[in-house]
Amino acid sequence: MGYKNINFLTGTKFLVTGAAGFIGSNIVNALLNKGYKVRGIDNFSTGNIDNIQKHLSNPNFEFVEGDIRDFDTCKVICTNIDYVLHQAALGSVPRSMKQPLIYEENNVKGTANMMEAARISHVKRFIYASSSSVYGDSPNLPKVEGDEGNLLSPYALTKKINEEYGKLYTDIYGLECIGLRYFNVFGKHQNPNGAYAAVIPKFVSQLLVNDSPTINGDGEQSRDFTYIDNVIEANLKACLAPYEACGKSFNIAYGDRENLMDVYRKISTLLGKEITPIFGLNREGDIKHSIADISEARNLLDYHPEYDFTTGLELTIEWYKENLLGVKSY
């Protein structure tokens, strides 16, 4: 269970794109703690140098400030790499509704650049971040791979295109690609600031300073919130999964759901706060409910998420209390 007992050959080298971002920096931290060699790249459009600062002097870590939209850069960083863990992308459904072209540039062109560079460099396997947003307007619960609806945002479209590229690169070019459809990932290093910040860090950061958070809609919408260490497990296990998993995409979640009001109440209780939230408009492009069927990931990736929502939330809040209370701004 978890990723602590997952082992690779001595000298294995990983490339993590989006290495200074929320998910990427947590993966970098886990790999370096296990003693592996890691190369990271980030252009700091959303990543934060603070997330990887402590690793910059580690001889096993090589960091490149660069942009995956530049193919020459992609070729350089894929050289002598065994596994690519591709996390670099622009997130946020609402932002993509306002700026579709930058999502095309970053999420589609950037990912295609990385797959081609990985193919040229004979990378063993290419693991990439997809998203639960590819399920679009499908009303069916739980969400099952192969039962997708109409896409609802440019962000979702970019992730679906990534999956099609992953299948093509596996089938045509022999680059073993596996997509991971993340469901509402949360945890340490997640940015609580900005108009498009994820709900859990936003709630925590505002409650810590006694502000009233805004809940979009009626608060009854539900999500399969997934603690970051479960995502790390999925990435590492995907590297070692049987070939049958390649060319496919898998739900990466816990397999349970919480509605936003319950999440707000749990955070308030853990922080000892009694603050009434503000209710705002529904977010454009959002779906009402989401929960994942993780049986395919369990069967083909040996994915068995260790952290349930409550355990992950407790760990997350402890991290924010240490890092947000006047110590750092993320």
Side-chain angles (χ1 to χ4, degrees):
M1 187 175 286
Y3 68 85
K4 303 295 193 301
N5 296 322
I6 303 172
N7 295 305
F8 295 84
L9 295 174
T10 302
T12 296
K13 190 165 187 176
F14 295 85
L15 169 64
V16 180
T17 68
F22 161 46
I23 295 176
S25 65
N26 277 284
I27 293 174
V28 166
N29 189 61
L31 290 170
L32 290 174
N33 284 344
K34 290 174 70 66
Y36 297 113
K37 296 180 182 298
V38 180
R39 181 181 293 152
I41 183 171
D42 206 295
N43 67 355
F44 298 117
S45 59
T46 57
N48 190 323
I49 190 65
D50 287 349
N51 290 340
I52 55 170
Q53 188 71 52
K54 67 179 181 180
H55 298 308
L56 295 179
S57 59
N58 186 333
N60 282 338
F61 184 54
E62 174 192 355
F63 180 72
V64 176
E65 182 175 352
D67 198 313
I68 61 169
R69 290 174 294 180
D70 180 72
F71 182 57
D72 288 337
T73 297
C74 295
K75 286 192 291 185
V76 170
I77 61 173
C78 283
T79 303
N80 297 321
I81 291 294
D82 295 299
Y83 299 99
V84 173
L85 304 179
H86 177 52
Q87 315 300 316
L90 289 180
S92 174
V93 164
R95 186 184 177 192
S96 78
M97 305 290 276
K98 295 178 172 63
Q99 300 174 299
L101 293 184
I102 68 167
Y103 279 75
E104 173 74 20
E105 279 286 306
N106 284 272
N107 295 6
V108 177
K109 181 182 178 183
T111 298
N113 281 346
M114 283 300 306
M115 287 184 181
E116 178 64 6
R119 179 188 73 84
I120 291 170
S121 295
H122 305 290
V123 165
K124 289 180 181 177
R125 190 162 286 185
F126 188 97
I127 312 302
Y128 63 95
S130 185
S131 166
S132 60
S133 65
V134 300
Y135 287 103
D137 65 0
S138 170
N140 299 329
L141 295 175
K143 304 299 183 185
V144 178
E145 297 92 339
D147 186 18
E148 296 81 22
N150 296 307
L151 300 173
L152 296 175
S153 69
Y155 172 74
L157 175 60
T158 66
K159 291 301 184 178
K160 186 59 180 173
I161 293 171
N162 289 170
E163 293 187 358
E164 294 298 328
Y165 265 119
K167 186 176 188 308
L168 282 175
Y169 264 83
T170 299
D171 294 345
I172 297 174
Y173 300 115
L175 175 68
E176 298 180 2
C177 298
I178 295 177
L180 304 178
R181 292 180 177 174
Y182 298 155
F183 280 69
N184 297 89
V185 186
F186 72 97
K188 50 192 178 289
H189 296 300
Q190 193 170 23
N191 190 343
N193 301 317
Y196 305 116
V199 65
I200 288 177
K202 209 164 184 61
F203 284 175
V204 173
S205 64
Q206 290 182 293
L207 287 171
L208 280 172
V209 295
N210 298 314
D211 282 347
S212 294
T214 296
I215 294 177
N216 295 305
D218 60 9
E220 294 306 309
Q221 58 268 51
S222 62
R223 298 288 183 268
D224 196 330
F225 290 102
T226 309
Y227 185 57
I228 183 63
D229 282 31
N230 296 334
V231 169
I232 297 170
E233 174 194 344
N235 274 271
L236 300 193
K237 285 188 171 177
C239 293
L240 301 174
Y243 180 78
E244 185 185 354
C246 296
K248 298 179 180 178
S249 300
F250 299 88
N251 292 339
I252 301 303
Y254 187 71
D256 200 356
R257 60 175 168 153
E258 306 275 339
N259 73 41
L260 291 194
M261 279 308 302
D262 285 342
V263 170
Y264 183 76
R265 293 186 192 103
K266 287 184 180 183
I267 293 173
S268 297
T269 299
L270 288 169
L271 291 175
K273 304 286 185 176
E274 292 185 11
I275 298 173
T276 303
I278 300 165
F279 289 90
L281 299 174
N282 286 312
R283 294 201 317 176
E284 192 177 15
D286 263 3
I287 57 172
K288 185 72 174 178
H289 300 291
S290 183
I291 181 174
D293 181 325
I294 58 172
S295 56
E296 276 294 287
R298 191 178 284 124
N299 293 337
L300 282 176
L301 304 184
D302 191 32
Y303 172 68
H304 297 278
E306 184 176 0
Y307 295 88
D308 63 16
F309 174 71
T310 300
T311 303
L313 188 62
E314 290 170 350
L315 292 168
T316 299
I317 286 177
E318 285 305 308
W319 186 87
Y320 279 118
K321 285 164 69 175
E322 291 175 9
N323 289 274
L324 284 181
L325 287 176
V327 180
K328 291 180 181 178
S329 176
Y330 280 85

